[in-house]
């Protein structure tokens, strides 16, 4: 393999060439991992090589050690530990360290990534003890390039999410701090070095907690950072304000002195900076302050409610600084960029976000200054000021007491509705968003008889007038629909009088010739919201709407063969997705009343699936969603369509190359089996084969496994005793899955996965227990009872658990006791942890009523199981 040629090809704009080169590299790594790393490291360190080749070598090296999937990351790290000769390891590391000094900055950056990847493996195992000292020495007395690259390396190492490495880095805090503070000082003459140092300091702050708790060291760190906010280099300023943000989030309790002496003034000055990126980070500092103080107040209130006297320090920074910070935020709201894209994060949007948080942090104290600003600018001739006034009013709708806001909103509503006719689209868009905030947070201020019709009319007018307003008007209308829906199943609600006109208007908007994808999609989302929130007196209109939606969906099927461009394909798929979603909303609202339309619905949906079966498309996901809704609505009646639909479902279950569709199919199997009950039995052999195959798959991620296990429970509950056919295989799978654990210090993704996996296991056992009892085959469960209790005990011992997991665990405990009322397993139930687990679940005030009710029911079943009430009075 010609390394240079292959690396050159990995940068090719031609997908085929690039993919072929990547496959060659992957093959080379599989055949001889040590040789692969050596050749790439040599190329990275080669000062005679072309810069882009060195960059490609660095990227390939980084990819050799990294993966987004935890399991594959660990596999890559094990290859380094187990397969690479010690001399090769030494050589690769030396080449990486040598490349840090390269005059080619990109090569130095690549070397920094390589060293950080190896450090993540070796530092936790104490295999590279001199690395940090080497990097510190580089910062102290080396060339500018070596200083900068060494600091960048420290930053990369410190930004890790690897729990083992994070734990180990605390032991290197002195070395880390020495290097980054030395590079970040104002005495450092090179701005690139200082920038790298302040960035690394931001990444390292979490690991220097011991140093930060020492007043002398903390003072020096804060001095260096505060001085950096005054640097002439905006990158250094940005890094400094970024450090202050992290420090406020990590060390709020130590900030009182620094806020009083420096940070109030420095951050307000930073917010006024002409450098927008600096100003945004200074604004974000106050966002962090608000978030911290909101969280502290919530934590302290909960602690007091629980009778605790251990409260977190609370310094009221936001209230103390409100008179200086809020006026600056209001001024920054006027700095809008009329050409900004919807997702651009500029200074005006940063200020709006901060003002929202400020209102939540200080409650009603923010109202006077904002009202004064609104009154001064609402009629201003400059649209920037009008827009800022409308935005400011909307920003404070969450935080102050609703009863305080209500009279102000009632007074302002006619004016805000009038602003929907402003000649500038930005102002109209902000007015629509502010109206949405009002509907969401102060709905009682909207009079259903006088104001609501005007409000709906204005928002529909805005939705039709300009695509740029689609998102804001859509969100406002959906908030309005949610707030005025009334109780589920109510005979009428405030929307009923406007419902038919609203639906008609939305259908017109979606059919406009000048409607782009964004506007059309937004209008269908609003339509769906109105349908789902409609009262019973509108169901006839909803039923008629199904005809329109089906006609439109049917018309799109021939268009599939007329696609001539990528844009055509995107437009058609978005239209079909919106229509399927609208159809699902109608099915969910009409429930069993959809039956007269069921034949037509399935005919069109099956035709659509057939038409797109040979092309890659996102539409099947939504088609499956609609079919799942129909199965839920028709229940056993859905059996009529299974013979025609089953082949499509089987194909999706086996389509591991499209994980989204496969996941949808797994959920649909659950829906259909729950609906059909024993009628699903003829299809279960095939379902089970596909599901078990997906469990064994190396293509699908681990995240599929909980849903598959839950699906086993749904199938069991549907077919009852017939599940005996699959019991031994599924039980073995569940027992194996129960052995998966996660370290409390491990990645959050792994902790969440273990919780989800255990939820799936419990759901599966719950369904199986109910099935075996219903089929008079409960004795088949006896071999598995011990392993079930072992997992339940593990759930109790592990503090990493969710409400859903505890609820499912309660269900298994109760169902098993109910299946064996004669006390066959009383010894298991007499374990102390069983009643403690039930008591904790039942008495948790944060849990949903259904969780608490399940725990109460379980308690009664356990009492029966162990005989009488002995030993359970305390629960």
């Amino acid at each position: 393999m010609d390394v240079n040629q292959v690396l050159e090809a990995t940068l090719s704009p031609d997908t085929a060439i690039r993919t072929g080169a990547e496959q060659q590299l992957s093959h080379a790594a599989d055949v001889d991992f040590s040789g692969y790393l050596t050749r790439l490291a040599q190329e990275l360190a080669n000062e005679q090589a072309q810069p882009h080749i060195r960059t490609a070598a660095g990227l390939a090296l980084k990819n050799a050690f990294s993966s987004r999937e935890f399991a594959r990351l660990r596999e890559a790290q094990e290859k380094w530990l187990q397969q690479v000769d010690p001399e090769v390891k030494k050589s690769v590391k030396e080449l990486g360290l040598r490349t840090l000094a390269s005059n080619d900055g990109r090569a130095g950056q690549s070397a920094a990534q390589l060293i950080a990847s190896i450090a993540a493996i070796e530092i936790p195992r104490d295999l590279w003890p001199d690395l940090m000292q080497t990097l510190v020495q580089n910062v102290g007395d080396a060339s500018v390039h070596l200083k900068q690259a060494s600091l960048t390396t420290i930053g990369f190492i410190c930004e890790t999410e690897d729990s083992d490495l994070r734990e180990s880095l605390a032991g290197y805090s002195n070395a880390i701090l020495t290097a980054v503070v030395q590079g970040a000082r104002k005495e450092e003459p090179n701005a690139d070095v200082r920038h790298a140092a302040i960035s690394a300091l931001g990444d390292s702050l979490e690991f220097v907690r011991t140093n930060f708790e020492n007043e002398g060291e903390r003072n020096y760190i804060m001095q260096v950072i505060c001085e950096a906010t005054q640097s002439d280099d905006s990158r250094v300023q940005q890094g400094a304000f970024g450090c202050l943000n992290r420090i406020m989030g990590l060390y709020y309790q130590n900030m009182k002195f620094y806020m009083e002496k420096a940070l109030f003034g420095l951050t307000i000055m930073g917010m006024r900076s002409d450098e927008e990126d600096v100003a945004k980070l200074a604004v974000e500092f106050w966002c962090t302050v608000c978030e911290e103080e909101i969280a502290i107040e919530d934590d302290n209130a909960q602690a007091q409610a629980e009778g605790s006297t251990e409260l977190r320090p609370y310094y009221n920074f936001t209230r103390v600084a409100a008179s200086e910070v809020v006026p600056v935020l209001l001024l920054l709201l006027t700095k809008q960029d009329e050409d900004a894209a919807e997702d651009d994060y500029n200074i005006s949007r940063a200020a709006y976000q901060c003002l929202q948080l400020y209102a939540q942090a200080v409650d009603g104290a923010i109202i006077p200054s904002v009202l004064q600003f609104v009154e001064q600018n609402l009629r201003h001739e400059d649209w920037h000021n009008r827009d800022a006034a409308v935005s400011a009013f909307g920003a404070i709708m969450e935080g102050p007491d609703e009863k305080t806001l209500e009279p102000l909103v009632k007074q302002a509503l006619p004016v805000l509705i009038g602003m929907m006719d402003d000649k500038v689209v930005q102002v109209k868009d902000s007015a629509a968003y502010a109206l949405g905030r009002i509907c969401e947070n102060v709905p009682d201020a909207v009079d259903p008889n006088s104001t609501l019709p005007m409000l709906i009319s204005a928002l529909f007018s805005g939705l039709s007038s300009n695509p740029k307003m689609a998102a804001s008007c859509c969100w406002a209308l959906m908030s309005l629909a949610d707030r005025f829906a009334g109780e589920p199943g109510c005979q009428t609600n405030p929307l009923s009088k406007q419902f038919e006109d609203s639906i008609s208007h939305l259908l017109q908007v979606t059919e406009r010739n000048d409607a782009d994808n964004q506007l059309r999609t937004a209008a269908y989302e609003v339509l769906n919201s109105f349908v789902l929130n409609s009262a019973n007196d509108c169901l006839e209109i909803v039923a008629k709407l199904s005809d329109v939606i089906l006609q439109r969906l049917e018309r799109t099927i021939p268009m599939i063969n007329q696609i001539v461009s990528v844009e055509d394909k995107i437009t058609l798929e978005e239209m079909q997705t919106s229509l399927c979603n609208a159809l699902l909303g109608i099915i969910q609202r009409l429930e069993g009343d959809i039956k007269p339309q069921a034949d037509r619905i399935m005919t069109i949906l099956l035709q659509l699936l057939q038409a797109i079966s040979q092309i890659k498309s996102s539409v099947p996901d939504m088609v499956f969603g609609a079919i799942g809704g129909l199965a839920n609505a028709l229940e056993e009646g859905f059996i009529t369509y299974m013979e025609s639909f089953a082949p499509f479902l089987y194909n999706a279950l086996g389509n591991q190359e499209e994980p989204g569709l496969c996941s949808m199919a797994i959920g649909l199997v659950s829906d259909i089996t729950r609906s059909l009950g024993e009628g699903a039995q003829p299809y279960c052999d095939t379902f089970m084969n596909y599901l078990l195959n997906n469990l064994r798959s190396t293509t699908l991620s681990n995240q599929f496994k909980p849903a598959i296990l839950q699906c086993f429970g749904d199938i069991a509950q549907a077919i009852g005793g017939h599940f005996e056919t699959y019991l031994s295989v599924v039980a073995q799978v569940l027992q194996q899955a129960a052995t998966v654990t996660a370290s409390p210090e491990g990645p959050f993704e792994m902790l969440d996965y273990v919780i989800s996996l255990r939820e799936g296991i419990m759901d599966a056992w719950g369904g199986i227990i109910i099935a075996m009892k219903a089929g008079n085959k409960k004795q088949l469960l006896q071999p598995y009872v011990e392993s079930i209790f072992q997992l339940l005990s593990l759930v109790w011992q592990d503090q990493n658990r969710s409400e859903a997991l505890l609820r499912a665990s309660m269900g298994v405990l109760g169902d098993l006791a109910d299946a064996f009322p004669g006390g066959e397993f009383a010894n298991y139930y007499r374990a102390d942890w069983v009643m403690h687990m039930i008591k904790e679940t039942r008495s948790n005030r944060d849990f949903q009523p259904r969780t608490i009710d399940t725990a109460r029911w379980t308690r009664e079943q356990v009492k029966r199981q162990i005989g009488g009430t002995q030993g359970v009075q305390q629960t």
Side-chain angles (χ1 to χ4, degrees), residues 508-529:
Q508 291 172 17
V509 169
T510 57
E511 287 284 272
R512 278 172 43 178
N513 292 330
D514 60 343
D516 62 5
N517 291 350
Q518 183 183 18
L519 175 58
R520 189 182 298 108
T521 300
Y524 275 121
E525 287 176 356
V526 177
L527 184 141
N528 209 31
S529 182

Side-chain angles (χ1 to χ4, degrees), residues 2 121-122 139 173 189 256 272 327 362 365 443 453 511 594 688 746 765:
D2 185 331
I121 306 170
E122 296 204 343
V139 176
S173 63
K256 190 171 189 294
R272 296 180 181 275
V362 304
E511 287 284 272
I594 195 66
M688 291 298 296
W765 277 125

Side-chain angles (χ1 to χ4, degrees), residues 735 781-792 825 828:
Q735 289 171 331
L781 295 169
Q782 289 191 353
Y784 312 113
V785 171
E786 182 176 358
S787 63
I788 293 173
F789 271 88
Q790 285 174 350
L791 178 58
L792 286 165
F825 302 113
Y828 290 111

Side-chain angles (χ1 to χ4, degrees), residues 804-818:
L805 176 55
L806 285 172
R807 182 171 60 246
S809 300
M810 292 296 102
V812 170
L813 275 170
D815 288 334
L816 197 58
D818 182 49

Side-chain angles (χ1 to χ4, degrees), residues 357-589:
L357 289 167
Y358 230 104
Q360 295 170 47
V362 304
D363 304 326
I366 201 171
I367 292 176
S369 54
V370 171
L371 280 186
Q372 182 181 2
F373 178 81
V374 171
E375 290 168 358
Q376 291 172 351
N377 292 278
L378 199 59
R379 309 285 187 187
H380 203 284
E381 61 182 20
D382 187 333
W383 74 264
H384 294 85
N385 294 64
R386 295 198 304 276
D387 182 75
V390 172
S391 297
F393 191 77
I396 65 169
M397 288 300 105
E398 183 180 1
D401 182 75
E402 188 175 336
K403 295 302 178 186
T404 304
L405 288 172
E406 194 172 316
L408 301 175
V409 171
K410 283 183 176 179
Q411 185 179 352
L413 265 173
V415 180
L416 285 173
I417 292 172
M419 298 293 280
M420 291 291 293
D421 292 325
D422 195 280
K423 59 189 177 185
V424 178
V425 68
Q426 285 86 352
V427 179
K428 295 163 69 173
D429 187 41
S430 296
Y433 196 80
L435 290 168
R437 296 268 297 169
I438 289 169
C439 292
E440 186 174 52
N441 296 293
V442 200
D444 290 346
V446 181
D447 184 274
N449 297 314
S450 60
T451 311
L452 185 60
M454 288 193 302
L455 179 55
I456 291 176
S457 176
L459 290 171
F460 275 129
S461 177
L463 184 62
S464 303
S465 66
N466 194 303
K468 287 185 177 180
M469 296 177 60
S472 295
C473 290
C474 173
W475 177 71
L477 284 163
M478 289 193 292
S479 296
L480 183 149
D482 289 341
R483 292 298 175 177
F484 289 96
E487 292 296 319
C490 61
Q491 183 56 33
T492 190
N493 64 31
L495 295 173
S496 292
K497 292 181 181 178
Q498 320 296 324
F499 186 79
E500 188 166 13
D501 287 343
S502 298
I503 296 299
S504 176
H505 193 114
L506 288 164
L507 290 173
Q508 291 172 17
V509 169
T510 57
E511 287 284 272
R512 278 172 43 178
N513 292 330
D514 60 343
D516 62 5
N517 291 350
Q518 183 183 18
L519 175 58
R520 189 182 298 108
T521 300
Y524 275 121
E525 287 176 356
V526 177
L527 184 141
N528 209 31
S529 182
F530 269 68
V531 166
L532 289 171
N533 289 294
S534 60
N536 289 345
D537 58 359
C538 297
L539 291 185
E540 187 177 336
I541 301 169
V542 173
K544 291 179 181 177
L545 176 63
S546 66
D547 287 326
V548 179
I549 298 301
L550 285 169
Q551 286 171 5
R552 292 185 177 187
L553 188 58
E554 192 172 25
R555 287 205 308 264
T556 68
I557 296 175
M559 297 180 188
I560 296 169
N561 297 322
Q562 301 167 14
I563 293 173
V564 294
S565 67
V566 174
E567 289 76 14
D568 287 348
K569 184 175 186 292
I570 292 171
T571 298
L572 183 59
E573 286 188 355
E574 288 189 359
M575 187 186 303
Q576 290 173 333
T577 296
S578 293
L579 288 166
C580 286
N581 197 39
L583 183 59
L584 173 59
I586 292 168
I587 293 168
Q588 290 173 331
R589 183 63 190 92

Side-chain angles (χ1 to χ4, degrees), residues 280-343:
K280 283 192 294 187
L281 283 161
V283 169
E284 286 174 19
F285 172 82
W286 283 102
C287 289
T288 304
V289 176
C290 291
E291 288 168 344
E292 281 300 305
E293 296 201 330
I294 292 167
I296 290 169
E297 284 198 285
D298 287 345
D299 290 347
N300 287 349
Q302 184 172 350
Q304 288 174 325
E306 294 171 354
S308 174
T309 57
E310 294 184 11
L311 304 181
R312 294 176 60 188
Y314 177 69
Y315 301 127
N316 227 349
F317 293 143
T318 46
R319 290 182 188 275
V320 171
S323 61
E324 295 185 59
V325 175
V326 172
V328 179
L329 293 174
L330 293 169
L331 176 66
L332 293 176
L333 284 178
T334 67
K335 306 296 183 184
Q336 309 94 324
D337 178 3
E338 59 187 300
D339 298 320
E342 190 175 323
D343 56 352

